[in-house]
Amino acid sequence: MPVRKAVETVGAHVTWRDYLELCKPRVVAVMLLTVLVGMGLARPELPSAGLVLLTLLGVAMAAGSAAAVNHVMDRHIDENMARTRGRPLPCGKMSAQQALLFAATMGILGIGVLAFWVNPLTAWLTLLSLIGYAFIYTMFLKRATPQNIVIGGVAGAAPPLLGWTAVSGVLEPNGLLLVLIIFAWTPPHFWALCIARKEDYIKAGIPMLPVTHGESFTRLQIMLYTLLMIATTALPFLTGMSGLIYLAGIFLLNLRFLQWAWRVMYAGDNRQIPMQMFRYSISYIMLLFALLLLDHYVILTY
């Protein structure tokens, strides 16, 4: 009887905030910034306000759908991790069925907006990104290999390309270059968090790199991928996509990122330094894309 009562009360007090949390709004907000920058960089002229709003709406709904599926698939893992056990599913505020229905509704509506009011290419790419993150990464890669974040990073790197194709309607090298930047940034960004939360991943049984190969090896990989990322972020200037404003700004941002990678290399058992690097890496990617946009429109002004 008590078990039946507990089951019946799941979802009885679900609020809009619980559904919003399923969408991982902070992650989606960063994604939408990169979508917006991709739209701005695709053509010399400003995209129309209507196209911007419809693209952001469609991508946001699809991203929220993928995040909700991630919540469902990871609910038993989240129960064992301090930073995630308060999410709506692990704490019993919502059932998996409710979350999946919400995810399906958001996904269908989001892809529909993109297909009918933006263009089919952007809709297909968004759908592939949703499938890549919600199913291939979450259901398989995350549990199968310590290189999960590297392989699955392609899906997470797609947003600026979605913005680019929303305006251009075609795949172009500079749009793919934006994907490459996020792809190279993702491993040092996420592995810093993995070091800081290593004990949680051990409890959850997730084969993240610090768990399977040790922290020293992970620190070395963070440094190596940081160097790869620095080389990648120079490409917009070297290809003529961006100018001196971007070059000066990214030099300073990369210098700081390299400093954090160096500090993590020699942090020992200190968990605060990797966490601080993780937080900086979020600011880093947002500022990088803001620099790209600023440089693009300042150059056009003169």
Side-chain angles (χ1 to χ4, degrees):
M1 186 66 178
V3 174
R4 180 179 177 80
K5 184 178 181 180
V7 171
E8 290 175 347
T9 58
V10 171
H13 304 291
V14 180
T15 68
W16 65 268
R17 290 185 177 86
D18 297 318
Y19 285 109
L20 180 63
E21 187 174 352
L22 284 184
C23 296
K24 300 186 178 181
R26 293 181 182 178
V27 176
V28 172
V30 176
M31 290 175 57
L32 293 183
L33 172 63
T34 66
V35 172
L36 186 61
V37 173
M39 297 186 77
L41 295 178
R43 291 292 180 265
E45 65 277 4
L46 283 167
S48 69
L51 179 62
V52 170
L53 290 175
L54 286 168
T55 302
L56 293 181
L57 176 63
V59 173
M61 294 179 79
S65 171
V69 173
N70 177 267
H71 272 264
V72 174
M73 298 304 173
D74 282 358
R75 64 191 185 278
H76 300 304
I77 294 172
D78 289 344
E79 292 173 354
N80 297 311
M81 301 180 69
R83 71 183 181 90
T84 57
R85 63 170 62 110
R87 288 175 172 175
L89 273 75
C91 68
K93 290 183 181 179
M94 185 185 300
S95 69
Q97 291 76 13
Q98 285 174 300
L100 285 174
L101 178 61
F102 173 74
T105 303
M106 289 280 285
I108 292 169
L109 290 175
I111 300 299
V113 167
L114 295 173
F116 288 102
W117 288 295
V118 180
N119 60 57
L121 176 60
T122 304
W124 279 112
L125 290 174
T126 304
L127 179 60
L128 290 174
S129 179
L130 189 160
I131 293 170
Y133 175 76
F135 298 101
I136 297 174
Y137 168 72
T138 300
M139 294 181 65
F140 176 67
L141 289 174
K142 188 172 183 178
R143 295 160 172 79
T145 170
Q147 291 297 315
N148 47 27
I149 200 63
V150 178
I151 303 169
V154 176
L161 180 62
L162 304 179
W164 190 287
T165 60
V167 171
S168 69
V170 294
L171 290 171
E172 295 176 319
N174 283 343
L176 295 171
L177 175 54
L178 299 178
V179 174
L180 182 61
I181 289 173
I182 298 184
F183 178 77
W185 163 84
T186 300
H189 156 73
F190 199 78
W191 282 334
L193 175 66
C194 290
I195 291 176
R197 296 287 184 260
K198 178 182 174 181
E199 286 73 20
D200 279 348
Y201 287 111
I202 292 173
K203 290 177 184 177
I206 301 299
M208 291 301 183
L209 199 62
V211 176
T212 60
H213 288 69
E215 291 185 30
S216 295
F217 181 80
T218 306
R219 292 190 193 102
L220 175 60
Q221 295 302 305
I222 287 175
M223 177 59 76
L224 293 175
Y225 270 92
T226 295
L227 295 175
L228 175 63
M229 182 197 73
I230 290 173
T232 302
T233 56
L235 291 176
F237 176 77
L238 296 176
T239 60
M241 179 180 173
S242 296
L244 292 175
I245 293 175
Y246 170 78
L247 182 64
I250 200 61
F251 174 80
L252 296 175
L253 289 175
N254 281 337
L255 195 63
R256 184 61 171 160
F257 203 108
L258 187 61
Q259 181 185 21
W260 277 116
W262 184 266
R263 292 186 67 188
V264 168
M265 276 277 289
Y266 298 99
D269 294 330
N270 189 324
R271 292 288 186 265
Q272 291 302 314
I273 292 177
M275 196 65 199
Q276 288 168 347
M277 179 181 176
F278 170 76
R279 293 188 182 115
Y280 171 73
S281 68
I282 298 173
S283 300
Y284 170 93
I285 200 67
M286 295 175 70
L287 289 170
L288 182 151
F289 275 87
L291 276 171
L292 282 168
L293 198 60
L294 174 66
D295 184 282
H296 179 71
Y297 285 111
V298 168
I299 287 176
L300 291 176
T301 303
Y302 289 96

